Amino acid sequence: MSAPLYQLKAELFKTLGHPVRIRVLELLSEREHGVAEMLRDTRVEPAYLSQQLAVLRRANLVVARREGTAVYYALTSHQVADLLRIARTILSGVLTGQAELLADLHAALPREPAP
């Protein structure tokens, strides 16, 4: 018997729940990247990047290809990039709402009399 869809979705979101993995997926949303480029852009140690890329490969979110000694990564589906764009839109709305709430709270604070 296969896992329920909600459980599979939870596993996907767990995989996405790491800042380095999100950064890698954002880079790959633009175009294919070599490992050396990703090391420069993520500013993490090579072994750590390799570990995060392995997680993304196991989840079938990225695919690797070798060209000589260089390894290049790409997204397996443009829908991963779509998901990241949707997440940005959701976060923008949430942050806008929080900024408005903060402004309202500041406006409601009693003013101190001028000395």
Side-chain angles (χ1 to χ4, degrees), residues 1-12:
M1 182 172 176
S2 63
L5 184 56
Y6 63 85
Q7 189 173 1
L8 296 173
K9 286 179 184 178
E11 289 300 319
L12 172 65

Side-chain angles (χ1 to χ4, degrees), residues 14-85:
K14 280 185 205 176
T15 300
L16 295 175
H18 192 283
V20 172
R21 289 183 219 139
I22 292 293
R23 182 65 185 130
V24 166
L25 293 173
E26 287 175 341
L27 291 169
L28 297 178
S29 292
E30 299 166 4
R31 61 176 173 78
E32 177 183 77
H33 277 71
V35 172
E37 286 180 287
M38 286 190 283
L39 282 169
R40 181 191 69 226
D41 292 340
T42 59
R43 298 181 182 156
V44 297
E45 296 295 319
Y48 192 62
L49 179 61
S50 178
Q51 190 177 46
Q52 302 311 318
L53 287 167
V55 171
L56 293 171
R57 275 194 319 272
R58 281 193 301 275
N60 293 315
L61 295 174
V62 301
V63 63
R65 73 173 178 85
R66 188 173 291 279
E67 192 174 292
T69 59
V71 180
Y72 295 89
Y73 282 85
L75 296 178
T76 55
S77 168
H78 69 86
Q79 291 171 326
V80 175
D82 294 343
L83 179 60
L84 292 173
R85 277 191 291 279

Side-chain angles (χ1 to χ4, degrees), residues 104-114:
D104 290 345
L105 288 173
H106 282 294
L109 287 176
R111 304 278 181 219
E112 291 187 24

